[in-house]
Amino acid sequence: MSRRENPIDRRFRELVAKGEHALIGYIVAGYPDEHTSIEVARAMIDGGVDILEIGIPFSDPIADGPTIQRASYKALSKGITPRKALEIARSIRGSYDVPLVAMTYFNIVYRQGVDRFIPLAKDNGIDGLIVPDLTYEEADDVIRIAHIHDMDLIFLVAPNTSDERLNRVASVSKGFLYLVSVYGTTGERDIFYEYTLDAIRRTKGLIMGRVPLAVGFGISKKEHARVMINAGADAIVVGSAFINIIEKSNGSRDIMLKGIRELAHELKQATRGLV
Amino acid sequence: MRLKHYPIDGKFGRFGGRYVPETLIPALEELERAYIDAREDKDFKRELDYYLKHYAGRPTQLYYARNLSNAIGGASIYLKREDLLHGGAHKINNTIGQALLAKRMGKERVIAETGAGQHGVATAMACAALGLKCEIYMGSKDAERQRLNVFRMELLGAKVNKVDSGSQTLKDAINEALRDWITNVKNTYYLLGSVVGPHPYPMMVRDFQSVIGREIRKQCMNMLGGMPDAIVACVGGGSNAMGTFHEFLDSKVDLYGVEAGGHGLASNTHSATLCAGSEGVLHGMLTYLLQDEHGQVMDTHSIAAGLDYPGVGPEHAYLKSIGRVKYVNATDDEAIDAFMSLAKYEGIIPALEPAHALAYTMKIAREYGKDSSIVVTISGRGDKDVEVVQRYLVERSTKR
C-alpha cells in the first residue's frame, strides 16, 4: 500500500532542506479557555512554531510539573473534554498548514477506545500522538491501530533509558522520537546539566537517522535551544514557558498574545541558527 | 495455571502492567530484580521474620467472636486481629518488607504517599527502625483532616510534604510521589502502600501482606481442624484483602471483598470501584476506576479514609473478572453499625475500614448457618476513628 507522506515527516523534510531545525510549541487545549487557546495557538504559529502540540487535559497528569498541572486543572474546571479539544485542533488546522500532535495520558485514549479515539483524532486534523504513560511494551494495539489510520505514534525516551531499549523504542516511534531532557517533570528550568547533552548525543547516535529527535521538558530560552540543537536535537519542544506567559498576563489579551508571539519568534530564530 | 502464580509478565490477565513515564522504567526493572533476588535470599527472609515478630508483633491472633456470633445466630465468626500489630494496622507488614529492600538496594531516601496517614505512619516507623531518611506526601485536605497523624509522622522523624494539586487527597499524593520519584530516581526508593501501581508493586505488596492469609490457614487448621467456609476483607486499594486471600485463591473457600458503599451506590458518593467502576489506567496500572465518561478520574467518598481511593489493585480486577472473589459493598451507615456491634459484643474497637468487612460478614453469617465458620480480617484498630464516629452518630440522631 502506498501512503501519502505524513505531514510531520513532510515538515521535517522541508526544514532540513532549508537547513533549519524544528520548533514544537505546546498548548493546553481549553486553557485559559476554549476560544483563547485557539488564539494562543495562532500566536505561536505566527511567531514561527513549526509543529503544534495540543495537550488534552487529564485529571492526573503525572509527567507534568505545577505549571501544566494548573493549566490542565483550570481547563477541566471550565469544561474541556477530549472531544472539544479535538474540535480546537480542527479549528486551528482549518486556518493553518501546521502539523498537529496531540499529547494526552493513556486513560483518555483508553476510555474513548483506542480504535475510536485514533480515527476521530485523525479526522480532526491530528497527525501524531504522544502518550507519556504508554510504554512500548503496552502499546501493541495502539501501534497497530495508529498504523491503520496513518497516525504517527510518538514514543518518549529518557536520559536513563538503556541503549538496548532506546534502540527498540526508536524503531517503533513514528514522526519523531521525544527525548525527555531531564530527570523530572515538565516546567521551566534555568539551567541544564551536562547529562542532558550527553543523552542527546547518545540518543542521536543510536537513532542512526531512523527518525528525527525532539528534545523537551524545561526548555524556555533560546540559549537552551541552541545548545541542544548543537548537541544533535532536530527539534525542541517548549510548553510551560508559553503557559507562564499566559498566567503572568493577568487576562490582558494583547500582552499575552504579543508575549507568546515574541517567545516563539525568538526560539524559532535559535532553531534557524540565527542566534 | 494456579491463581497463586500470577502475575505473568507483570499482568493479572489483562490487568496490571506498567503504564508510567519512561524515566521510571529502569527504576521499576531494578526494583523487580532486587525484589526477586531478596525473595530467594534466606538472610533477607530471616531478617524480615525477625522484624515481623519482634518489632511488629506477629503472629496476630485469630479470635473467635463468640458473643457476636451468638447474637447474630448464624456462622461462627473469627477475627484475624491485624489491629494488634505495632502501629495499629496491617500496613507495617509491607513497610518493614519494603524498607528492608530499600536498605538492601542501597537507597538513601524513602518516599511514600498517605491518605489518612496510616501508611505514612507505618512507613515512618519502619524507616526510623531501619535508619532510613523518609518523606511522606499527603494531600493538603487530608493533612488538615488528620492533623494528629501529621504530627505522629513528624515525631517518627519523617518530613511531611503537603500536596495542593488536584483534589488534594490520596490520589494526588500518589501523583506527587511519582513525580518526586521521576525527579530523584537514582537515590530514592518509592515505598507504595497498597497492591496498586506499576509492576512489581501489586505483586510485591501482596507477597509482603500474604503473611496474613498464611497465618489464618494455619490457625484454622488448629482451631477448626480445616478450612473456613468463607473469608471476608475490606478493599480500598486492596492490600489487606490480597494478603488475606492469596493463600486461599486455589482453594474452595468463598472469598468476599467489601468495598466502601459510602452513601449508597445510587448516590454516586462512594468508593466502590469494582462494584460500580469501569476499566481504565491510573497510577501505572490497568484496572477498574471510578471515572467519568471522558476518562477523568472522579472524587470518591467513604467514611473510612483508608478506602477512599478511585482505583483498586489490578489483581482484584482480575479476580473479579474470573469470578473467583465476590466484590460487594457496605455503606457508611452499615459500617458504623458493625463498628458499634464489635465494640459492644467483643470489647474490640475496629478501624472503620474493616468495619465494612464486618458489616458484610454479619449480613451473610445467618445465610451460612450455624455449622459454618467465617473469618474476617480486622485490618486495623479504631482509635483513629472514634472522633469521626462520634460526630457521625450525633448527625445521624439529629436526622432521625
Side-chain angles (χ1 to χ4, degrees):
Chain A
M1 188 170 86
S2 82
R3 25 173 90 234
R4 279 186 311 167
E5 189 179 29
N6 185 299
I8 299 170
D9 299 337
R10 190 170 69 228
R11 178 55 46 98
F12 273 104
R13 191 168 48 74
E14 290 162 0
L15 289 169
V16 169
K18 287 194 278 183
E20 291 181 20
H21 300 85
L23 173 62
I24 302 174
Y26 172 92
I27 67 162
V28 171
Y31 179 77
D33 58 62
E34 264 179 68
H35 174 71
T36 312
S37 64
I38 296 173
E39 287 192 32
V40 168
R42 287 184 176 148
M44 275 189 201
I45 297 164
D46 288 343
V49 157
D50 299 298
I51 295 171
L52 188 72
E53 185 184 338
I54 300 175
I56 304 176
F58 176 50
S59 53
D60 297 80
I62 56 170
D64 286 304
T67 303
I68 293 179
Q69 283 175 47
R70 276 195 304 271
S72 301
Y73 193 77
K74 190 157 181 209
L76 285 172
S77 63
K78 289 195 173 178
I80 194 74
T81 62
R83 207 166 270 268
K84 284 183 187 169
L86 293 177
E87 281 162 19
I88 289 172
R90 176 190 280 275
S91 151
I92 294 165
R93 197 56 194 268
S95 43
Y96 286 95
D97 177 30
V98 61
L100 301 181
V101 173
M103 198 298 292
T104 195
Y105 289 83
F106 190 52
N107 196 50
I108 296 294
V109 180
Y110 190 82
R111 181 66 168 156
Q112 332 299 315
V114 178
D115 52 358
R116 287 228 301 274
F117 179 87
I118 287 179
L120 185 69
K122 188 76 193 181
D123 286 348
N124 282 278
I126 301 285
D127 307 299
L129 178 61
I130 302 174
V131 187
D133 59 344
L134 181 67
T135 56
Y136 87 99
E137 286 91 342
E138 310 289 358
D140 287 355
D141 280 355
V142 190
I143 290 172
R144 184 175 52 78
I145 293 164
H147 181 77
I148 292 169
H149 297 281
D150 195 21
M151 174 72 75
D152 280 351
L153 188 61
I154 295 151
F155 283 86
L156 296 95
V157 291
N160 59 345
T161 305
S162 70
D163 284 3
E164 191 206 352
R165 185 177 175 87
L166 217 154
N167 217 343
R168 273 180 288 164
V169 175
S171 66
V172 294
S173 196
K174 302 287 177 209
F176 53 89
L177 180 69
Y178 192 137
L179 172 65
V180 174
S181 63
V182 291
Y183 293 106
T185 51
T186 58
E188 277 192 50
R189 281 161 176 80
D190 285 331
I191 52 164
F192 285 88
Y193 297 95
E194 193 58 30
Y195 80 82
T196 294
L197 301 181
D198 289 341
I200 295 171
R201 290 183 203 109
R202 181 170 68 95
T203 308
K204 183 75 173 177
L206 286 164
I207 291 177
M208 296 197 299
R210 277 175 286 184
V211 68
L213 173 62
V215 181
F217 280 39
I219 303 168
S220 61
K221 298 184 172 68
K222 56 181 192 281
E223 294 80 9
H224 299 156
R226 218 40 252 164
V227 291
M228 295 197 188
I229 286 166
N230 286 341
D234 300 302
I236 57 153
V237 188
V238 179
S240 297
F242 287 114
I243 292 167
N244 280 329
I245 291 174
I246 303 173
E247 279 191 337
K248 281 183 196 142
S249 67
N250 278 325
S252 163
R253 208 176 204 77
D254 292 346
I255 292 175
M256 174 183 82
L257 295 175
K258 184 162 172 274
I260 287 167
R261 228 173 1 249
E262 283 173 1
L263 178 61
H265 180 72
E266 200 177 299
L267 292 163
K268 183 58 215 172
Q269 292 295 89
T271 67
R272 288 193 178 109
L274 296 176
V275 182
Chain B
M1 185 72 196
R2 289 174 53 147
L3 292 172
K4 257 181 106 165
H5 294 153
Y6 280 84
I8 299 155
D9 293 333
K11 297 256 172 111
F12 304 92
R14 65 182 176 280
F15 300 103
R18 266 180 195 153
Y19 296 86
V20 292
E22 195 62 30
T23 312
L24 291 183
I25 292 290
L28 290 167
E29 287 174 346
E30 180 195 7
L31 176 62
E32 185 181 7
R33 277 193 305 271
Y35 170 61
I36 286 169
D37 186 64
R39 195 168 61 176
E40 309 296 323
D41 181 354
K42 286 207 177 81
D43 289 338
F44 181 82
K45 201 179 165 319
R46 200 173 305 128
E47 212 179 357
L48 177 60
D49 288 346
Y50 173 85
Y51 278 100
L52 287 180
K53 181 176 174 189
H54 297 282
Y55 185 71
R58 298 214 75 90
T60 61
Q61 297 304 308
L62 185 69
Y63 180 70
Y64 173 40
R66 185 186 308 271
N67 303 333
L68 182 70
S69 303
N70 287 343
I72 294 168
S76 300
I77 297 171
Y78 291 81
L79 312 174
K80 179 58 174 167
R81 298 288 310 275
E82 295 294 294
D83 58 314
L84 295 176
L85 286 171
H86 178 48
H90 73 292
K91 293 287 182 189
I92 194 87
N93 300 330
N94 170 47
T95 60
I96 283 284
Q98 287 200 59
L100 283 170
L101 184 62
K103 217 171 164 180
R104 184 185 166 96
M105 291 171 73
K107 302 288 179 185
E108 302 146 21
R109 179 173 174 265
V110 168
I111 57 170
E113 81 293 342
T114 199
Q118 293 305 108
H119 175 57
V121 168
T123 302
M125 284 171 174
C127 287
L130 296 172
L132 289 159
K133 228 172 89 184
C134 168
E135 285 184 41
I136 306 292
Y137 286 93
M138 188 172 191
S140 48
K141 250 187 220 164
D142 288 336
E144 181 59 33
R145 283 188 288 211
Q146 300 284 340
R147 259 172 291 182
L148 269 180
N149 265 342
V150 174
F151 185 56
R152 272 172 95 195
M153 288 183 266
E154 286 168 352
L155 280 176
L156 293 162
K159 182 173 177 243
V160 180
N161 301 315
K162 290 171 193 157
V163 178
D164 289 323
S165 58
S167 59
Q168 307 177 351
T169 57
L170 176 60
K171 89 176 167 69
D172 309 284
I174 297 178
N175 290 340
E176 210 50 41
L178 285 167
R179 290 181 188 119
D180 179 314
W181 201 25
I182 291 169
T183 307
N184 302 294
V185 66
K186 280 187 233 165
N187 70 347
T188 296
Y189 184 96
Y190 181 19
L191 204 162
L192 240 174
S194 192
V195 288
V196 300
H199 180 67
Y201 285 106
M203 168 181 82
M204 179 170 68
V205 177
R206 174 202 72 194
D207 289 354
F208 285 133
Q209 291 294 358
S210 62
V211 63
I212 302 173
R214 284 198 303 275
E215 285 179 7
I216 291 174
R217 187 179 196 129
K218 224 196 231 161
Q219 289 163 330
C220 283
M221 287 299 160
N222 289 335
M223 295 167 70
L224 311 173
M227 300 275 227
D229 296 283
I231 302 180
V232 187
C234 63
V235 178
S239 71
N240 93 80
M242 258 344 292
T244 299
F245 296 160
H246 188 239
E247 183 69 17
F248 299 94
L249 289 180
D250 295 301
S251 76
K252 289 199 169 126
V253 177
D254 297 344
L255 302 174
Y256 297 93
V258 187
E259 297 192 304
H263 300 150
L265 297 196
S267 71
N268 253 340
T269 42
H270 58 78
S271 306
T273 310
L274 290 164
C275 292
S278 51
E279 284 182 33
V281 173
L282 179 71
H283 296 149
M285 57 180 167
L286 175 59
T287 186
Y288 273 75
L289 300 180
L290 291 172
Q291 58 183 332
D292 70 12
E293 59 183 304
H294 307 295
Q296 310 298 352
V297 179
M298 298 197 309
D299 288 344
T300 53
H301 163 81
S302 169
I303 192 160
L307 303 181
D308 201 348
Y309 178 61
V312 66
E315 189 164 12
H316 286 296
Y318 176 64
L319 293 170
K320 174 191 160 78
S321 75
I322 60 167
R324 175 60 187 99
V325 178
K326 196 169 170 200
Y327 292 93
V328 295
N329 70 93
T331 63
D332 287 354
D333 245 359
E334 292 169 328
I336 292 275
D337 290 343
F339 177 98
M340 309 275 289
S341 296
L342 197 64
K344 181 173 130 193
Y345 288 113
E346 303 293 347
I348 295 169
I349 298 180
L352 278 172
E353 290 79 6
H356 287 72
L358 191 65
Y360 192 76
T361 304
M362 289 162 64
K363 238 186 220 177
I364 59 173
R366 208 168 291 149
E367 292 166 30
Y368 270 88
K370 273 197 182 308
D371 295 333
S372 49
S373 50
I374 304 177
V375 174
V376 54
T377 297
I378 304 299
S379 55
R381 67 172 182 230
D383 306 45
K384 69 180 177 62
D385 296 319
V386 287
E387 239 187 296
V388 173
V389 172
Q390 190 183 32
R391 225 177 301 136
Y392 190 90
L393 291 176
V394 169
E395 278 172 31
R396 189 159 76 174
S397 69
T398 54
K399 256 186 246 162
R400 276 180 182 170

